[in-house]
mmCIF file of all heavy atoms in Angstrom:
data_model
loop_
_atom_site.group_PDB
_atom_site.id
_atom_site.type_symbol
_atom_site.label_atom_id
_atom_site.label_comp_id
_atom_site.label_asym_id
_atom_site.label_seq_id
_atom_site.Cartn_x
_atom_site.Cartn_y
_atom_site.Cartn_z
ATOM 1 N N GLU A 29 93.335 78.549 97.898
ATOM 2 C CA GLU A 29 94.071 77.548 97.173
ATOM 3 C C GLU A 29 95.368 78.156 96.667
ATOM 4 O O GLU A 29 95.358 79.301 96.204
ATOM 5 C CB GLU A 29 93.238 77.022 95.998
ATOM 6 C CG GLU A 29 93.899 75.900 95.215
ATOM 7 C CD GLU A 29 92.966 75.294 94.178
ATOM 8 O OE1 GLU A 29 91.822 74.946 94.521
ATOM 9 O OE2 GLU A 29 93.377 75.188 93.010
ATOM 10 N N THR A 30 96.466 77.414 96.751
ATOM 11 C CA THR A 30 97.729 77.912 96.273
ATOM 12 C C THR A 30 98.223 77.017 95.132
ATOM 13 O O THR A 30 97.907 75.840 95.050
ATOM 14 C CB THR A 30 98.786 77.935 97.362
ATOM 15 O OG1 THR A 30 99.006 76.612 97.837
ATOM 16 C CG2 THR A 30 98.363 78.822 98.523
ATOM 17 N N SER A 31 98.989 77.641 94.200
ATOM 18 C CA SER A 31 99.530 76.907 93.066
ATOM 19 C C SER A 31 100.981 77.369 92.873
ATOM 20 O O SER A 31 101.264 78.565 92.949
ATOM 21 C CB SER A 31 98.730 77.224 91.805
ATOM 22 O OG SER A 31 97.363 76.892 91.964
ATOM 23 N N GLY A 32 101.868 76.408 92.587
ATOM 24 C CA GLY A 32 103.244 76.751 92.357
ATOM 25 C C GLY A 32 104.111 76.568 93.590
ATOM 26 O O GLY A 32 103.651 76.030 94.610
ATOM 27 N N SER A 33 105.327 77.062 93.545
ATOM 28 C CA SER A 33 106.281 76.917 94.643
ATOM 29 C C SER A 33 106.217 78.118 95.578
ATOM 30 O O SER A 33 106.312 79.272 95.120
ATOM 31 C CB SER A 33 107.707 76.773 94.111
ATOM 32 O OG SER A 33 108.637 76.869 95.151
ATOM 33 N N PRO A 34 106.107 77.894 96.888
ATOM 34 C CA PRO A 34 106.103 79.009 97.837
ATOM 35 C C PRO A 34 107.429 79.740 97.890
ATOM 36 O O PRO A 34 107.571 80.792 98.505
ATOM 37 C CB PRO A 34 105.798 78.336 99.180
ATOM 38 C CG PRO A 34 106.140 76.905 98.991
ATOM 39 C CD PRO A 34 105.890 76.613 97.552
ATOM 40 N N LEU A 35 108.460 79.216 97.187
ATOM 41 C CA LEU A 35 109.738 79.906 97.108
ATOM 42 C C LEU A 35 109.743 80.962 96.025
ATOM 43 O O LEU A 35 110.653 81.830 95.977
ATOM 44 C CB LEU A 35 110.877 78.907 96.849
ATOM 45 C CG LEU A 35 111.061 77.799 97.888
ATOM 46 C CD1 LEU A 35 112.173 76.847 97.478
ATOM 47 C CD2 LEU A 35 111.369 78.438 99.258
ATOM 48 N N ASP A 36 108.731 80.961 95.156
ATOM 49 C CA ASP A 36 108.607 81.926 94.085
ATOM 50 C C ASP A 36 107.894 83.176 94.564
ATOM 51 O O ASP A 36 107.204 83.133 95.580
ATOM 52 C CB ASP A 36 107.876 81.319 92.889
ATOM 53 C CG ASP A 36 108.687 80.272 92.151
ATOM 54 O OD1 ASP A 36 109.925 80.368 92.195
ATOM 55 O OD2 ASP A 36 108.101 79.374 91.532
ATOM 56 N N PRO A 37 108.021 84.311 93.847
ATOM 57 C CA PRO A 37 107.329 85.546 94.227
ATOM 58 C C PRO A 37 105.819 85.304 94.246
ATOM 59 O O PRO A 37 105.253 84.751 93.301
ATOM 60 C CB PRO A 37 107.713 86.529 93.136
ATOM 61 C CG PRO A 37 108.985 86.012 92.577
ATOM 62 C CD PRO A 37 108.894 84.514 92.659
ATOM 63 N N PRO A 38 105.139 85.691 95.339
ATOM 64 C CA PRO A 38 103.686 85.452 95.448
ATOM 65 C C PRO A 38 102.851 86.443 94.648
ATOM 66 O O PRO A 38 103.197 87.619 94.511
ATOM 67 C CB PRO A 38 103.423 85.584 96.950
ATOM 68 C CG PRO A 38 104.509 86.486 97.449
ATOM 69 C CD PRO A 38 105.707 86.238 96.591
ATOM 70 N N VAL A 39 101.754 85.938 94.120
ATOM 71 C CA VAL A 39 100.749 86.764 93.447
ATOM 72 C C VAL A 39 99.390 86.444 94.057
ATOM 73 O O VAL A 39 98.939 85.296 94.018
ATOM 74 C CB VAL A 39 100.703 86.493 91.938
ATOM 75 C CG1 VAL A 39 99.620 87.345 91.272
ATOM 76 C CG2 VAL A 39 102.050 86.758 91.280
ATOM 77 N N LEU A 40 98.769 87.431 94.660
ATOM 78 C CA LEU A 40 97.488 87.254 95.302
ATOM 79 C C LEU A 40 96.396 87.670 94.304
ATOM 80 O O LEU A 40 96.359 88.832 93.850
ATOM 81 C CB LEU A 40 97.377 88.097 96.562
ATOM 82 C CG LEU A 40 96.075 88.020 97.341
ATOM 83 C CD1 LEU A 40 95.921 86.610 97.996
ATOM 84 C CD2 LEU A 40 95.996 89.100 98.427
ATOM 85 N N LEU A 41 95.512 86.743 93.924
ATOM 86 C CA LEU A 41 94.431 87.013 93.003
ATOM 87 C C LEU A 41 93.130 87.243 93.767
ATOM 88 O O LEU A 41 92.732 86.397 94.577
ATOM 89 C CB LEU A 41 94.253 85.842 92.021
ATOM 90 C CG LEU A 41 95.479 85.427 91.188
ATOM 91 C CD1 LEU A 41 95.119 84.267 90.269
ATOM 92 C CD2 LEU A 41 96.007 86.608 90.388
ATOM 93 N N ILE A 42 92.466 88.362 93.501
ATOM 94 C CA ILE A 42 91.235 88.708 94.238
ATOM 95 C C ILE A 42 90.098 88.806 93.214
ATOM 96 O O ILE A 42 90.102 89.639 92.315
ATOM 97 C CB ILE A 42 91.386 90.041 94.985
ATOM 98 C CG1 ILE A 42 92.645 90.044 95.860
ATOM 99 C CG2 ILE A 42 90.148 90.294 95.864
ATOM 100 C CD1 ILE A 42 92.879 91.344 96.616
ATOM 101 N N MET A 43 89.094 87.951 93.372
ATOM 102 C CA MET A 43 88.006 87.835 92.405
ATOM 103 C C MET A 43 86.916 88.891 92.682
ATOM 104 O O MET A 43 86.892 89.546 93.695
ATOM 105 C CB MET A 43 87.451 86.435 92.488
ATOM 106 C CG MET A 43 86.802 85.836 91.214
ATOM 107 S SD MET A 43 86.788 86.802 89.737
ATOM 108 C CE MET A 43 87.988 85.929 88.759
ATOM 109 N N GLY A 44 85.987 88.988 91.728
ATOM 110 C CA GLY A 44 84.964 90.021 91.737
ATOM 111 C C GLY A 44 83.649 89.616 92.428
ATOM 112 O O GLY A 44 83.574 88.538 93.047
ATOM 113 N N LEU A 45 82.654 90.444 92.228
ATOM 114 C CA LEU A 45 81.365 90.290 92.869
ATOM 115 C C LEU A 45 80.761 88.917 92.675
ATOM 116 O O LEU A 45 80.512 88.483 91.543
ATOM 117 C CB LEU A 45 80.418 91.365 92.316
ATOM 118 C CG LEU A 45 78.962 91.291 92.777
ATOM 119 C CD1 LEU A 45 78.852 91.643 94.252
ATOM 120 C CD2 LEU A 45 78.097 92.241 91.934
ATOM 121 N N GLY A 46 80.503 88.228 93.787
ATOM 122 C CA GLY A 46 79.818 86.959 93.766
ATOM 123 C C GLY A 46 80.598 85.808 93.125
ATOM 124 O O GLY A 46 80.065 84.713 92.972
#
Side-chain angles (χ1 to χ4, degrees):
E29 183 173 310
T30 61
S31 304
S33 169
L35 299 178
D36 289 332
V39 178
L40 181 68
L41 302 182
I42 309 179
M43 209 1 109
L45 175 68

